[in-house]
Amino acid sequence: MRKGIHPENYRLVAFKDMSNDEVFLTKSTANTKETIDVDGTEYPLVKLEISRASHPFYTGKSKLIDTAGRIDKFKNKYAKFKK
């Protein structure tokens, strides 16, 4: 492997699925400003809209998550193209 091209700041980071509040830990270099306490230890926090815990492909359940009115925004934006 080539030297000096890979980041050196790998650390444990907590990723939180905001649709179902599941938290999982993994190593990452993601920069964050927020932290979360998991089992008495503080970790940097990355918030996710969807993860393996809520994605229909992995859960086998089809459910609609419209956290920010994205479907309505899409329909309003493209309503002018209807014939």
Side-chain angles (χ1 to χ4, degrees):
M1 289 179 36
R2 287 181 30 199
K3 303 258 187 226
I5 62 169
H6 298 286
E8 305 253 345
N9 61 342
Y10 282 104
R11 69 206 187 286
L12 280 177
V13 176
F15 287 85
K16 182 176 182 181
D17 186 338
M18 300 307 290
S19 64
N20 63 5
D21 293 331
E22 181 167 325
V23 177
F24 59 94
L25 298 172
T26 189
K27 286 190 172 186
S28 177
T29 61
N31 294 325
T32 66
K33 294 181 181 180
E34 297 181 66
T35 60
I36 190 171
D37 184 58
V38 177
D39 298 330
T41 306
E42 193 169 290
Y43 296 101
L45 174 65
V46 176
K47 294 180 179 177
L48 304 172
E49 287 186 29
I50 195 163
S51 72
R52 61 174 171 72
S54 61
H55 194 281
F57 180 81
Y58 296 105
T59 61
K61 300 175 189 171
S62 179
K63 66 179 181 178
L64 180 63
I65 301 172
D66 187 19
T67 57
R70 291 178 284 176
I71 294 170
D72 292 331
K73 286 182 193 176
F74 178 84
K75 286 180 180 178
N76 291 337
K77 183 175 181 180
Y78 292 99
K80 61 185 172 189
F81 296 114
K82 278 188 174 179
K83 291 183 180 182

